[in-house]
Amino acid sequence: MEALSERKQRILECVISGYISTAEPVGSRTVARTKGIGLSSATIRNEMADLEEMGYLLQPHTSAGRIPSEKGYRYYVDYLMEAADVSEEDRRMISEALKVEKMREVEQVILSAARVLSAITNQTTLIMGPQFQRSAFRQMRILPLDHKRGLVVLITDTGFIKNKVIDLPQSLSPAELHQVVNYLNQKLYGLPIDQVTASLINELKRDLFRRLEILEQAFLLLEESLKEEEHVRVYLNGTTNILNQPEFKNVEKIRRLFALFEQEEALFQILEDSTDSEEVVVRIGSENTHEDIQECTLITACYKINRKTLGTVGVLGPTRMDYDRVIPLVRCLVDHLNRILSN
């Protein structure tokens, strides 16, 4: 992207700020009245014409002012935007919504996060629920329920717990049972769940068979967790906020978006594209790979438990989004989410 002169940068910033505020094309006289601009309307018109020719501005009608293009918004986000401080009121709302003592389940925390982010941004929020396969093995326990049955519990480093009631072989003493569990914990500790493959399980079985009469069903939970088609929830909130935006008055455009909101797998894939990033990601218009949101902006950030990425928080709205406010809010919410889930 070519460098812009300081004058062009100031004019581009004025046009974008004005358009974000009013949703109306911005003319040269409006820019000239901006405090500190110090340029005549004629000079501004010439500069705006140059910016249009360079692809940063568009003129929707011959007699109208200009509006930002995707390229203009991208330049603004990358080089001109000064992120606003998150207000004390917004911080209080986020903190209050995510109070740990109110919630025992991760799902409740994610739902509450989606609600509060939608409320303070006035946009649509979508949050990918945590993914079991992104966790690492922490511990397996076998808890005897009686002399015939036991409870196998699989615990990951991110707090996921899977359990299964199994039949205990009569020939296996409590000491041997303890030896089996210790062996598995030693071999599997810290290993990502998606690396606990069927071949690894078979190798461990062979090793254990050489040592003692092995508890066959102790492996069932591991094997089943690999075979299960993991269903990751995507939590939506504020879907009707999109109706308040003048860009979305077209019935067909709205129909496509609301059809997308009903496709959880498609929403998961949209958020999955951002799970490897350490920073807030801003995708504007055609930068989004999914066709139905190519007239939108999607702002995402990953949330973590103990520095391990588990899911993605997203805000979806028009390209005419209040970037300097929404980006810090996404970052603030994710910071709160990370602290709460890690604790």
Side-chain angles (χ1 to χ4, degrees):
M1 195 173 289
E2 66 268 54
L4 296 179
S5 67
E6 184 180 345
R7 179 190 289 178
K8 283 184 171 63
Q9 287 184 11
R10 285 161 58 202
I11 291 171
L12 178 62
E13 186 173 6
C14 283
V15 172
I16 291 176
S17 298
Y19 187 62
I20 287 173
S21 299
T22 67
E24 296 290 339
V26 178
S28 57
R29 282 191 296 179
T30 302
V31 176
R33 288 196 294 268
T34 303
K35 185 177 179 180
I37 197 74
L39 298 169
S40 68
S41 292
T43 301
I44 292 168
R45 275 195 300 274
N46 290 335
E47 293 287 10
M48 289 172 75
D50 288 347
L51 287 166
E52 183 181 353
E53 189 175 324
M54 297 166 76
Y56 293 96
L57 296 178
L58 301 170
Q59 191 171 25
H61 309 290
T62 307
S63 59
R66 265 71 168 198
I67 65 173
S69 64
E70 288 181 16
K71 184 178 179 181
Y73 282 125
R74 172 50 62 196
Y75 192 93
Y76 174 76
V77 170
D78 289 349
Y79 303 111
L80 303 179
M81 183 192 77
E82 293 184 10
D85 291 330
V86 176
S87 70
E88 287 301 316
E89 175 64 14
D90 288 338
R91 287 185 185 277
R92 185 195 64 76
M93 286 180 66
I94 291 172
S95 180
E96 183 69 24
L98 301 183
K99 273 191 174 176
V100 168
E101 59 264 27
K102 291 183 179 180
M103 294 173 281
R104 294 184 178 181
E105 300 291 338
V106 171
E107 182 179 18
Q108 288 180 282
V109 178
I110 301 301
L111 276 168
S112 189
R115 281 195 294 266
V116 71
L117 188 58
S118 173
I120 60 182
T121 61
N122 292 315
Q123 305 289 354
T124 300
T125 59
L126 46 163
I127 302 183
M128 180 198 297
Q131 299 173 74
F132 176 73
Q133 296 293 345
R134 287 183 175 270
S135 305
F137 184 94
R138 172 63 59 84
Q139 190 178 52
M140 177 180 277
R141 295 181 184 179
I142 301 178
L143 310 173
L145 299 175
D146 52 39
H147 69 287
K148 292 183 178 181
R149 296 177 308 144
L151 182 70
V152 181
V153 182
L154 173 63
I155 305 169
T156 74
D157 63 337
T158 53
F160 278 107
I161 297 175
K162 290 200 173 190
N163 58 78
K164 181 180 179 67
V165 175
I166 62 170
D167 295 322
L168 296 175
Q170 300 302 299
S171 58
L172 202 64
S173 70
E176 289 173 321
L177 190 65
H178 188 65
Q179 187 178 351
V180 169
V181 173
N182 284 345
Y183 172 81
L184 291 175
N185 287 334
Q186 179 186 358
K187 290 291 185 180
L188 299 177
Y189 183 86
L191 193 67
I193 292 296
D194 58 6
Q195 291 182 26
V196 183
T197 61
S199 61
L200 175 59
I201 290 175
N202 287 331
E203 182 183 329
L204 294 176
K205 282 182 181 180
R206 287 193 296 272
D207 193 9
L208 277 168
F209 269 122
R210 286 194 295 270
R211 296 162 185 252
L212 49 81
E213 180 184 351
I214 183 60
L215 177 60
E216 175 70 17
Q217 292 189 75
F219 290 97
L220 284 178
L221 191 62
L222 279 173
E223 292 175 326
E224 288 177 5
S225 70
L226 293 173
K227 292 174 186 174
E228 285 177 6
E229 188 72 29
E230 185 179 22
H231 176 68
V232 179
R233 288 286 312 276
V234 175
Y235 301 89
L236 272 172
N237 205 274
T239 53
T240 57
N241 285 341
I242 208 94
L243 299 175
N244 299 325
Q245 306 295 343
E247 293 90 339
F248 295 95
K249 298 302 182 187
N250 180 282
V251 174
E252 179 59 24
K253 190 186 296 185
I254 287 294
R255 187 196 65 76
R256 292 200 312 269
L257 265 181
F258 275 75
L260 174 64
F261 292 157
E262 294 177 2
Q263 300 172 44
E264 194 167 33
E265 182 60 34
L267 295 175
F268 171 79
Q269 291 301 328
I270 288 169
L271 293 173
E272 176 75 359
D273 290 343
S274 304
T275 52
D276 293 329
S277 177
E278 293 293 321
E279 303 296 330
V280 175
V281 176
V282 181
R283 289 196 169 91
I284 302 168
S286 60
E287 295 171 1
N288 291 295
T289 55
H290 197 286
E291 182 180 1
D292 290 334
I293 61 168
Q294 288 189 341
E295 294 182 46
C296 301
T297 283
L298 178 65
I299 297 175
T300 58
C302 297
Y303 65 90
K304 307 170 186 289
I305 295 180
N306 301 324
R307 293 181 293 182
K308 185 184 295 293
T309 297
L310 279 197
T312 308
V313 173
V315 173
L316 183 72
T319 53
R320 186 189 55 83
M321 192 183 283
D322 193 356
Y323 295 95
D324 60 352
R325 181 168 183 269
V326 175
I327 291 172
L329 284 171
V330 170
R331 189 179 289 119
C332 179
L333 180 123
V334 166
D335 287 345
H336 272 75
L337 209 51
N338 290 345
R339 285 197 296 273
I340 287 166
L341 294 178
S342 292
N343 289 337

